[in-house]
Amino acid sequence: MQIYFDNAATSHPKPYCVVQAVKRALTEANANPGRSGHRAAIEAGRIVLDCRERLATLLGAGDAMRVVHCFNCTDALNLAIKGSLHVGDHVVATCLEHNSVLRVLYALAQRGRITLTLVSPGPDGFVDPEDVRSALTPATALIVCTHASNVTGAIQPVAAIGQVAKAAGVRYLIDGAQALGGMPVDVKALGCDLYAFPGHKSLLGPQGTGGLYIAPGIRLNPLREGGTGTDSHSLLQPETLPERYESGTVNLPGIAGLAAGCEYVASRLSQIMMQERELTQALYEGLNAMEGVTLYSPAQEAGRAGIVCFNVGDLPSAQAADALARRDIAVRGGLHCAPEAHRFLGTLRRGAVRASIGHANTFEEVERFLQAVRALL
Ligand SMILES: Cc1ncc(COP(=O)(O)O)c(C=O)c1O
């Protein structure tokens, strides 16, 4: 039996209710949501709204219309970043960001449109909000911070950074890729203007789903213009949410599955959190006890998401991940699309092995995994 410890990439297995919801959407509601007025189209529209409402509840967003469906977290981050920035703006982000943030910002910087400052975390792996404050300039228009590092799992002080952003009057975007669905999120308490998330990780939805929360008063330039099924007499993109940012046919089967995933997660969030935390701790302690294993994740249980990042002896991480794959253990080696995080850890050449826990993992799997690492050593 495979051990799947690659949940930070995408969660597996998806609950059966998710699979069923996808199938139902493709059979019983197979129409274009928000367009025609026949029975299946109305049902499709209801599914899209139901998912939006469930996401809004998980985000603490209040108004569901402020949650926009996207195709993944990268799509949401592109909308948030490109939709916010203007020529001459300065952006503060962290070294821990994923390429879904870094490449978007570097592309804008390379074209001379923006300037960028990356803030490094302290030796403990956490960004100091004071360092974010110090990096601000009069031209700073956006602060971007990952909620939890996808390399080390370190949960960042995103609420304290929100206070820095608020005090400075700077727009604030959180990348929630490794957080929403795996820990409580309250966008208002976090003080963020924008919160980007995937649907296919801890929310247990299908790939090709994700979204962006947009706070009241925040207006973005859309990434795409096009048909929305509303205001069709106008040649201008509507101002109303969510249509402004959802041109074209949405991923109905994916969104149906995501709604089921949200329902599944919301009904047992504290149980999932407790189980993932205990398993992650067992994994961390087991690896920490092995001579020859180097750990990169924070030692404090409360400071990390369900990720443990490590290297085995002097093996290149890809070789270690391949050796585990041959034992039918799924982990991810390499750089995890976060080169600056690895530069900070000193693992840019070698990468690291990332084991990431999900809702269906067990203590027995952790034990078998630890045995496999011992054998590698
Ligand atoms: C921190 C972080 N941001 C963004 C992304 C991109 O997510 P997606 O694959 O849904 O575009 C990931 C994916 O692993 C991630 O871990």
Short mmCIF file of all heavy atoms in Angstrom, two decimals, residues 91-159:
data_model
loop_
_atom_site.label_atom_id
_atom_site.label_comp_id
_atom_site.label_asym_id
_atom_site.label_seq_id
_atom_site.Cartn_x
_atom_site.Cartn_y
_atom_site.Cartn_z
N VAL A 91 7.17 46.68 -3.84
CA VAL A 91 6.51 45.54 -3.18
C VAL A 91 7.46 44.95 -2.14
O VAL A 91 8.66 44.82 -2.39
CB VAL A 91 6.12 44.45 -4.21
CG1 VAL A 91 5.48 43.25 -3.51
CG2 VAL A 91 5.19 45.01 -5.27
N VAL A 92 6.92 44.60 -0.98
CA VAL A 92 7.69 43.87 0.02
C VAL A 92 7.12 42.46 0.10
O VAL A 92 5.91 42.28 0.31
CB VAL A 92 7.59 44.54 1.41
CG1 VAL A 92 8.34 43.72 2.46
CG2 VAL A 92 8.13 45.97 1.36
N ALA A 93 7.98 41.46 -0.12
CA ALA A 93 7.57 40.06 0.03
C ALA A 93 8.64 39.36 0.86
O ALA A 93 9.59 40.00 1.31
CB ALA A 93 7.42 39.42 -1.35
N THR A 94 8.50 38.06 1.07
CA THR A 94 9.49 37.36 1.90
C THR A 94 10.24 36.33 1.05
O THR A 94 9.76 35.90 0.00
CB THR A 94 8.82 36.62 3.09
OG1 THR A 94 8.32 35.37 2.64
CG2 THR A 94 7.70 37.45 3.70
N CYS A 95 11.39 35.92 1.58
CA CYS A 95 12.20 34.91 0.89
C CYS A 95 11.49 33.56 0.87
O CYS A 95 11.92 32.66 0.17
CB CYS A 95 13.51 34.69 1.66
SG CYS A 95 14.57 36.07 1.59
N LEU A 96 10.47 33.42 1.69
CA LEU A 96 9.81 32.12 1.79
C LEU A 96 8.76 31.92 0.70
O LEU A 96 8.16 30.84 0.62
CB LEU A 96 9.14 31.99 3.17
CG LEU A 96 10.11 32.04 4.34
CD1 LEU A 96 9.35 32.04 5.66
CD2 LEU A 96 11.07 30.85 4.30
N GLU A 97 8.53 32.95 -0.14
CA GLU A 97 7.43 32.82 -1.10
C GLU A 97 7.70 31.74 -2.15
O GLU A 97 8.83 31.45 -2.52
CB GLU A 97 7.19 34.17 -1.80
CG GLU A 97 6.89 35.34 -0.88
CD GLU A 97 5.83 35.03 0.17
OE1 GLU A 97 4.77 34.50 -0.17
OE2 GLU A 97 6.08 35.35 1.35
N HIS A 98 6.60 31.20 -2.62
CA HIS A 98 6.57 30.23 -3.71
C HIS A 98 6.82 30.98 -5.02
O HIS A 98 6.56 32.18 -5.11
CB HIS A 98 5.17 29.60 -3.69
CG HIS A 98 4.98 28.41 -4.56
ND1 HIS A 98 4.65 28.51 -5.90
CD2 HIS A 98 5.02 27.09 -4.29
CE1 HIS A 98 4.50 27.30 -6.40
NE2 HIS A 98 4.72 26.40 -5.45
N ASN A 99 7.25 30.26 -6.04
CA ASN A 99 7.44 30.91 -7.36
C ASN A 99 6.14 31.49 -7.91
O ASN A 99 6.17 32.34 -8.80
CB ASN A 99 8.04 29.91 -8.36
CG ASN A 99 9.56 29.92 -8.31
OD1 ASN A 99 10.17 30.87 -7.80
ND2 ASN A 99 10.19 28.88 -8.82
N SER A 100 5.01 31.03 -7.40
CA SER A 100 3.73 31.59 -7.84
C SER A 100 3.58 33.04 -7.41
O SER A 100 2.73 33.77 -7.93
CB SER A 100 2.56 30.79 -7.27
OG SER A 100 2.63 29.49 -7.74
N VAL A 101 4.40 33.46 -6.45
CA VAL A 101 4.49 34.87 -6.07
C VAL A 101 5.77 35.47 -6.68
O VAL A 101 5.73 36.50 -7.34
CB VAL A 101 4.53 35.03 -4.53
CG1 VAL A 101 4.90 36.45 -4.13
CG2 VAL A 101 3.19 34.64 -3.93
N LEU A 102 6.90 34.77 -6.46
CA LEU A 102 8.19 35.35 -6.85
C LEU A 102 8.30 35.60 -8.35
O LEU A 102 8.74 36.65 -8.79
CB LEU A 102 9.34 34.44 -6.39
CG LEU A 102 9.54 34.34 -4.88
CD1 LEU A 102 10.72 33.42 -4.55
CD2 LEU A 102 9.78 35.73 -4.27
N ARG A 103 7.88 34.61 -9.15
CA ARG A 103 8.02 34.79 -10.61
C ARG A 103 7.13 35.90 -11.13
O ARG A 103 7.49 36.62 -12.07
CB ARG A 103 7.72 33.48 -11.34
CG ARG A 103 8.86 32.49 -11.22
CD ARG A 103 8.63 31.26 -12.05
NE ARG A 103 9.77 30.37 -11.98
CZ ARG A 103 9.77 29.12 -12.40
NH1 ARG A 103 8.67 28.59 -12.91
NH2 ARG A 103 10.86 28.39 -12.31
N VAL A 104 5.97 36.05 -10.52
CA VAL A 104 5.06 37.13 -10.94
C VAL A 104 5.72 38.48 -10.63
O VAL A 104 5.76 39.37 -11.47
CB VAL A 104 3.70 37.01 -10.19
CG1 VAL A 104 2.73 38.08 -10.68
CG2 VAL A 104 3.10 35.62 -10.37
N LEU A 105 6.28 38.59 -9.43
CA LEU A 105 6.92 39.85 -9.03
C LEU A 105 8.19 40.12 -9.83
O LEU A 105 8.44 41.24 -10.28
CB LEU A 105 7.23 39.83 -7.53
CG LEU A 105 6.01 39.83 -6.61
CD1 LEU A 105 6.42 39.64 -5.15
CD2 LEU A 105 5.21 41.14 -6.75
N TYR A 106 9.01 39.06 -10.02
CA TYR A 106 10.26 39.25 -10.78
C TYR A 106 9.97 39.63 -12.22
O TYR A 106 10.70 40.44 -12.81
CB TYR A 106 11.14 37.99 -10.70
CG TYR A 106 12.07 38.06 -9.51
CD1 TYR A 106 11.65 37.65 -8.25
CD2 TYR A 106 13.35 38.60 -9.64
CE1 TYR A 106 12.47 37.75 -7.14
CE2 TYR A 106 14.19 38.70 -8.52
CZ TYR A 106 13.75 38.27 -7.29
OH TYR A 106 14.57 38.38 -6.19
N ALA A 107 8.92 39.07 -12.81
CA ALA A 107 8.58 39.41 -14.20
C ALA A 107 8.23 40.90 -14.28
O ALA A 107 8.66 41.60 -15.20
CB ALA A 107 7.41 38.56 -14.68
N LEU A 108 7.49 41.40 -13.30
CA LEU A 108 7.13 42.83 -13.29
C LEU A 108 8.38 43.68 -13.05
O LEU A 108 8.55 44.73 -13.67
CB LEU A 108 6.08 43.11 -12.21
CG LEU A 108 4.69 42.51 -12.46
CD1 LEU A 108 3.81 42.64 -11.22
CD2 LEU A 108 4.01 43.20 -13.64
N ALA A 109 9.25 43.22 -12.16
CA ALA A 109 10.47 43.98 -11.84
C ALA A 109 11.40 44.01 -13.05
O ALA A 109 11.99 45.05 -13.37
CB ALA A 109 11.17 43.36 -10.64
N GLN A 110 11.50 42.86 -13.74
CA GLN A 110 12.40 42.78 -14.89
C GLN A 110 11.96 43.74 -16.00
O GLN A 110 12.79 44.27 -16.73
CB GLN A 110 12.38 41.35 -15.41
CG GLN A 110 13.68 40.93 -16.03
CD GLN A 110 13.65 39.46 -16.41
OE1 GLN A 110 12.58 38.89 -16.65
NE2 GLN A 110 14.80 38.85 -16.46
N ARG A 111 10.64 43.93 -16.12
CA ARG A 111 10.14 44.86 -17.15
C ARG A 111 10.22 46.31 -16.67
O ARG A 111 9.72 47.21 -17.33
CB ARG A 111 8.70 44.50 -17.49
CG ARG A 111 8.60 43.37 -18.50
CD ARG A 111 7.16 43.07 -18.86
NE ARG A 111 6.80 41.73 -18.46
CZ ARG A 111 5.69 41.39 -17.82
NH1 ARG A 111 4.81 42.29 -17.49
NH2 ARG A 111 5.46 40.15 -17.50
N GLY A 112 10.78 46.50 -15.46
CA GLY A 112 10.96 47.86 -14.95
C GLY A 112 9.69 48.48 -14.41
O GLY A 112 9.63 49.69 -14.19
N ARG A 113 8.68 47.67 -14.20
CA ARG A 113 7.39 48.23 -13.76
C ARG A 113 7.34 48.44 -12.25
O ARG A 113 6.70 49.36 -11.77
CB ARG A 113 6.24 47.33 -14.20
CG ARG A 113 6.14 47.23 -15.73
CD ARG A 113 5.03 46.30 -16.17
NE ARG A 113 3.72 46.87 -15.90
CZ ARG A 113 3.09 47.73 -16.69
NH1 ARG A 113 3.67 48.13 -17.81
NH2 ARG A 113 1.91 48.19 -16.38
N ILE A 114 8.00 47.56 -11.49
CA ILE A 114 7.97 47.67 -10.01
C ILE A 114 9.38 47.48 -9.46
O ILE A 114 10.27 46.99 -10.15
CB ILE A 114 7.05 46.60 -9.36
CG1 ILE A 114 7.58 45.18 -9.63
CG2 ILE A 114 5.61 46.75 -9.83
CD1 ILE A 114 7.08 44.15 -8.65
N THR A 115 9.56 47.82 -8.18
CA THR A 115 10.78 47.43 -7.47
C THR A 115 10.34 46.52 -6.33
O THR A 115 9.17 46.55 -5.90
CB THR A 115 11.54 48.65 -6.91
OG1 THR A 115 10.61 49.45 -6.17
CG2 THR A 115 12.16 49.47 -8.01
N LEU A 116 11.28 45.71 -5.86
CA LEU A 116 10.93 44.61 -4.95
C LEU A 116 11.96 44.48 -3.84
O LEU A 116 13.16 44.55 -4.10
CB LEU A 116 10.89 43.32 -5.79
CG LEU A 116 10.68 41.99 -5.08
CD1 LEU A 116 9.31 41.95 -4.43
CD2 LEU A 116 10.80 40.85 -6.10
N THR A 117 11.47 44.29 -2.61
CA THR A 117 12.36 43.96 -1.49
C THR A 117 11.90 42.64 -0.91
O THR A 117 10.71 42.48 -0.60
CB THR A 117 12.31 45.04 -0.39
OG1 THR A 117 12.64 46.30 -0.97
CG2 THR A 117 13.28 44.73 0.75
N LEU A 118 12.85 41.68 -0.77
CA LEU A 118 12.52 40.41 -0.12
C LEU A 118 13.07 40.42 1.30
O LEU A 118 14.26 40.68 1.50
CB LEU A 118 13.12 39.23 -0.89
CG LEU A 118 12.54 38.91 -2.26
CD1 LEU A 118 13.17 37.63 -2.80
CD2 LEU A 118 11.02 38.77 -2.21
N VAL A 119 12.21 40.12 2.26
CA VAL A 119 12.62 40.09 3.67
C VAL A 119 12.93 38.63 4.03
O VAL A 119 12.15 37.73 3.74
CB VAL A 119 11.45 40.61 4.55
CG1 VAL A 119 11.76 40.44 6.02
CG2 VAL A 119 11.16 42.07 4.23
N SER A 120 14.09 38.43 4.69
CA SER A 120 14.47 37.07 5.11
C SER A 120 13.87 36.76 6.46
O SER A 120 13.72 37.65 7.30
CB SER A 120 15.99 36.96 5.25
OG SER A 120 16.58 37.10 4.01
N PRO A 121 13.58 35.49 6.72
CA PRO A 121 13.16 35.12 8.07
C PRO A 121 14.36 35.12 9.01
O PRO A 121 15.50 35.16 8.55
CB PRO A 121 12.61 33.69 7.90
CG PRO A 121 13.18 33.19 6.64
CD PRO A 121 13.59 34.35 5.79
N GLY A 122 14.10 35.07 10.31
CA GLY A 122 15.19 34.92 11.27
C GLY A 122 15.69 33.48 11.23
O GLY A 122 15.13 32.64 10.53
N PRO A 123 16.73 33.18 12.03
CA PRO A 123 17.29 31.83 12.02
C PRO A 123 16.26 30.77 12.42
O PRO A 123 16.41 29.60 12.08
CB PRO A 123 18.41 31.89 13.08
CG PRO A 123 18.56 33.31 13.45
CD PRO A 123 17.42 34.10 12.92
N ASP A 124 15.20 31.19 13.12
CA ASP A 124 14.17 30.23 13.51
C ASP A 124 13.18 29.92 12.38
O ASP A 124 12.29 29.08 12.53
CB ASP A 124 13.39 30.77 14.74
CG ASP A 124 12.78 32.14 14.48
OD1 ASP A 124 12.95 32.69 13.37
OD2 ASP A 124 12.10 32.68 15.39
N GLY A 125 13.30 30.63 11.25
CA GLY A 125 12.43 30.34 10.10
C GLY A 125 11.17 31.19 10.05
O GLY A 125 10.33 31.00 9.16
N PHE A 126 11.05 32.15 10.99
CA PHE A 126 9.87 33.01 11.01
C PHE A 126 10.28 34.45 10.66
O PHE A 126 11.29 34.95 11.15
CB PHE A 126 9.21 33.00 12.41
CG PHE A 126 8.78 31.61 12.82
CD1 PHE A 126 9.58 30.83 13.64
CD2 PHE A 126 7.57 31.08 12.38
CE1 PHE A 126 9.19 29.54 14.00
CE2 PHE A 126 7.18 29.81 12.74
CZ PHE A 126 7.98 29.03 13.55
N VAL A 127 9.43 35.09 9.84
CA VAL A 127 9.69 36.48 9.46
C VAL A 127 9.34 37.39 10.63
O VAL A 127 8.32 37.18 11.31
CB VAL A 127 8.84 36.85 8.22
CG1 VAL A 127 8.90 38.35 7.93
CG2 VAL A 127 9.29 36.04 7.01
N ASP A 128 10.18 38.38 10.89
CA ASP A 128 9.91 39.36 11.95
C ASP A 128 9.08 40.51 11.35
O ASP A 128 9.56 41.18 10.42
CB ASP A 128 11.24 39.87 12.51
CG ASP A 128 11.05 40.82 13.68
OD1 ASP A 128 9.91 41.34 13.85
OD2 ASP A 128 12.03 41.06 14.41
N PRO A 129 7.87 40.77 11.86
CA PRO A 129 7.06 41.86 11.31
C PRO A 129 7.79 43.20 11.30
O PRO A 129 7.55 44.04 10.43
CB PRO A 129 5.84 41.90 12.25
CG PRO A 129 5.77 40.53 12.83
CD PRO A 129 7.18 40.04 12.91
N GLU A 130 8.73 43.38 12.26
CA GLU A 130 9.51 44.63 12.28
C GLU A 130 10.38 44.76 11.04
O GLU A 130 10.63 45.87 10.55
CB GLU A 130 10.38 44.70 13.55
CG GLU A 130 9.63 45.14 14.78
CD GLU A 130 8.82 46.43 14.54
OE1 GLU A 130 9.39 47.41 14.01
OE2 GLU A 130 7.62 46.44 14.87
N ASP A 131 10.88 43.63 10.53
CA ASP A 131 11.69 43.66 9.30
C ASP A 131 10.83 44.05 8.11
O ASP A 131 11.31 44.69 7.18
CB ASP A 131 12.36 42.30 9.05
CG ASP A 131 13.44 42.01 10.08
OD1 ASP A 131 13.86 42.96 10.77
OD2 ASP A 131 13.84 40.83 10.21
N VAL A 132 9.56 43.63 8.14
CA VAL A 132 8.64 44.03 7.07
C VAL A 132 8.43 45.54 7.15
O VAL A 132 8.50 46.25 6.15
CB VAL A 132 7.29 43.27 7.18
CG1 VAL A 132 6.27 43.79 6.17
CG2 VAL A 132 7.51 41.77 6.99
N ARG A 133 8.21 46.03 8.38
CA ARG A 133 8.00 47.47 8.56
C ARG A 133 9.22 48.26 8.04
O ARG A 133 9.08 49.25 7.33
CB ARG A 133 7.78 47.79 10.05
CG ARG A 133 7.23 49.19 10.28
CD ARG A 133 7.37 49.63 11.73
NE ARG A 133 6.82 48.69 12.69
CZ ARG A 133 5.55 48.63 13.05
NH1 ARG A 133 4.69 49.47 12.55
NH2 ARG A 133 5.14 47.73 13.92
N SER A 134 10.42 47.77 8.38
CA SER A 134 11.64 48.49 7.97
C SER A 134 11.82 48.50 6.46
O SER A 134 12.50 49.39 5.93
CB SER A 134 12.89 47.83 8.57
OG SER A 134 12.73 47.72 9.94
N ALA A 135 11.25 47.52 5.78
CA ALA A 135 11.44 47.43 4.32
C ALA A 135 10.49 48.35 3.55
O ALA A 135 10.65 48.55 2.35
CB ALA A 135 11.24 45.99 3.86
N LEU A 136 9.50 48.92 4.25
CA LEU A 136 8.52 49.77 3.55
C LEU A 136 9.15 51.08 3.09
O LEU A 136 10.04 51.62 3.75
CB LEU A 136 7.34 50.10 4.49
CG LEU A 136 6.52 48.91 5.01
CD1 LEU A 136 5.46 49.39 6.00
CD2 LEU A 136 5.87 48.15 3.86
N THR A 137 8.72 51.55 1.94
CA THR A 137 9.15 52.86 1.44
C THR A 137 7.87 53.64 1.11
O THR A 137 6.78 53.05 1.08
CB THR A 137 9.99 52.74 0.15
OG1 THR A 137 9.11 52.43 -0.95
CG2 THR A 137 11.08 51.68 0.25
N PRO A 138 7.99 54.93 0.83
CA PRO A 138 6.77 55.68 0.46
C PRO A 138 6.09 55.10 -0.79
O PRO A 138 4.90 55.32 -1.01
CB PRO A 138 7.29 57.10 0.20
CG PRO A 138 8.57 57.18 0.98
CD PRO A 138 9.17 55.81 0.96
N ALA A 139 6.85 54.33 -1.60
CA ALA A 139 6.25 53.79 -2.84
C ALA A 139 5.65 52.39 -2.64
O ALA A 139 5.11 51.81 -3.58
CB ALA A 139 7.32 53.74 -3.92
N THR A 140 5.77 51.85 -1.41
CA THR A 140 5.28 50.47 -1.22
C THR A 140 3.77 50.41 -1.38
O THR A 140 3.03 51.12 -0.69
CB THR A 140 5.67 49.92 0.18
OG1 THR A 140 7.06 50.11 0.38
CG2 THR A 140 5.34 48.43 0.28
N ALA A 141 3.34 49.55 -2.32
CA ALA A 141 1.90 49.45 -2.61
C ALA A 141 1.35 48.08 -2.20
O ALA A 141 0.13 47.89 -2.18
CB ALA A 141 1.66 49.68 -4.10
N LEU A 142 2.24 47.14 -1.92
CA LEU A 142 1.76 45.77 -1.61
C LEU A 142 2.77 45.05 -0.73
O LEU A 142 3.98 45.13 -0.95
CB LEU A 142 1.59 45.00 -2.94
CG LEU A 142 0.99 43.59 -2.85
CD1 LEU A 142 -0.48 43.63 -2.42
CD2 LEU A 142 1.11 42.87 -4.20
N ILE A 143 2.22 44.34 0.27
CA ILE A 143 3.01 43.40 1.07
C ILE A 143 2.46 42.01 0.78
O ILE A 143 1.23 41.82 0.77
CB ILE A 143 2.88 43.70 2.59
CG1 ILE A 143 3.45 45.09 2.91
CG2 ILE A 143 3.57 42.62 3.43
CD1 ILE A 143 3.17 45.54 4.36
N VAL A 144 3.36 41.06 0.51
CA VAL A 144 2.92 39.68 0.25
C VAL A 144 3.62 38.76 1.24
O VAL A 144 4.85 38.83 1.40
CB VAL A 144 3.27 39.20 -1.18
CG1 VAL A 144 2.54 37.89 -1.48
CG2 VAL A 144 2.94 40.25 -2.22
N CYS A 145 2.87 37.90 1.89
CA CYS A 145 3.48 36.93 2.81
C CYS A 145 2.74 35.60 2.73
O CYS A 145 1.51 35.56 2.67
CB CYS A 145 3.44 37.46 4.24
SG CYS A 145 4.35 36.39 5.39
N THR A 146 3.52 34.53 2.73
CA THR A 146 2.91 33.20 2.76
C THR A 146 2.40 32.91 4.18
O THR A 146 3.07 33.27 5.16
CB THR A 146 3.93 32.14 2.29
OG1 THR A 146 3.25 30.90 2.17
CG2 THR A 146 5.11 31.98 3.25
N HIS A 147 1.24 32.29 4.30
CA HIS A 147 0.69 31.99 5.63
C HIS A 147 1.57 30.92 6.31
O HIS A 147 1.91 31.06 7.48
CB HIS A 147 -0.77 31.51 5.49
CG HIS A 147 -1.54 31.57 6.75
ND1 HIS A 147 -2.90 31.75 6.79
CD2 HIS A 147 -1.15 31.46 8.04
CE1 HIS A 147 -3.31 31.75 8.05
NE2 HIS A 147 -2.26 31.58 8.82
N ALA A 148 1.90 29.88 5.54
CA ALA A 148 2.83 28.85 6.06
C ALA A 148 3.77 28.49 4.93
O ALA A 148 3.33 28.34 3.78
CB ALA A 148 2.06 27.63 6.51
N SER A 149 5.06 28.36 5.25
CA SER A 149 6.04 28.03 4.21
C SER A 149 5.75 26.65 3.64
O SER A 149 5.58 25.69 4.40
CB SER A 149 7.46 28.06 4.79
OG SER A 149 8.34 27.35 3.95
N ASN A 150 5.77 26.54 2.31
CA ASN A 150 5.54 25.22 1.72
C ASN A 150 6.80 24.36 1.76
O ASN A 150 6.77 23.20 1.40
CB ASN A 150 5.03 25.34 0.28
CG ASN A 150 6.10 25.84 -0.67
OD1 ASN A 150 6.74 26.85 -0.42
ND2 ASN A 150 6.32 25.13 -1.77
N VAL A 151 7.93 24.94 2.23
CA VAL A 151 9.16 24.16 2.35
C VAL A 151 9.32 23.65 3.78
O VAL A 151 9.49 22.45 4.00
CB VAL A 151 10.38 25.03 1.95
CG1 VAL A 151 11.67 24.24 2.17
CG2 VAL A 151 10.26 25.45 0.49
N THR A 152 9.24 24.55 4.75
CA THR A 152 9.49 24.14 6.14
C THR A 152 8.20 23.93 6.93
O THR A 152 8.21 23.34 8.00
CB THR A 152 10.30 25.22 6.88
OG1 THR A 152 9.51 26.43 6.92
CG2 THR A 152 11.62 25.50 6.18
N GLY A 153 7.09 24.48 6.45
CA GLY A 153 5.83 24.41 7.20
C GLY A 153 5.69 25.52 8.22
O GLY A 153 4.65 25.62 8.88
N ALA A 154 6.72 26.37 8.38
CA ALA A 154 6.69 27.40 9.44
C ALA A 154 5.52 28.37 9.22
O ALA A 154 5.43 29.02 8.17
CB ALA A 154 8.01 28.17 9.45
N ILE A 155 4.66 28.45 10.22
CA ILE A 155 3.49 29.34 10.14
C ILE A 155 3.96 30.76 10.47
O ILE A 155 4.51 31.01 11.55
CB ILE A 155 2.38 28.89 11.12
CG1 ILE A 155 1.92 27.47 10.78
CG2 ILE A 155 1.19 29.86 11.07
CD1 ILE A 155 0.98 26.85 11.80
N GLN A 156 3.77 31.66 9.55
CA GLN A 156 4.31 33.02 9.68
C GLN A 156 3.38 33.90 10.52
O GLN A 156 2.17 33.65 10.61
CB GLN A 156 4.53 33.62 8.29
CG GLN A 156 5.52 32.82 7.46
CD GLN A 156 6.88 32.69 8.16
OE1 GLN A 156 7.44 33.65 8.68
NE2 GLN A 156 7.41 31.46 8.18
N PRO A 157 3.92 34.96 11.14
CA PRO A 157 3.10 35.86 11.97
C PRO A 157 2.25 36.78 11.10
O PRO A 157 2.45 38.00 11.08
CB PRO A 157 4.16 36.62 12.78
CG PRO A 157 5.36 36.63 11.91
CD PRO A 157 5.34 35.37 11.10
N VAL A 158 1.31 36.16 10.36
CA VAL A 158 0.59 36.92 9.33
C VAL A 158 -0.33 37.99 9.92
O VAL A 158 -0.56 39.03 9.29
CB VAL A 158 -0.18 35.99 8.36
CG1 VAL A 158 0.75 35.42 7.30
CG2 VAL A 158 -0.91 34.89 9.09
N ALA A 159 -0.85 37.76 11.13
CA ALA A 159 -1.73 38.77 11.74
C ALA A 159 -0.91 40.00 12.15
O ALA A 159 -1.33 41.14 11.94
CB ALA A 159 -2.47 38.19 12.93
#
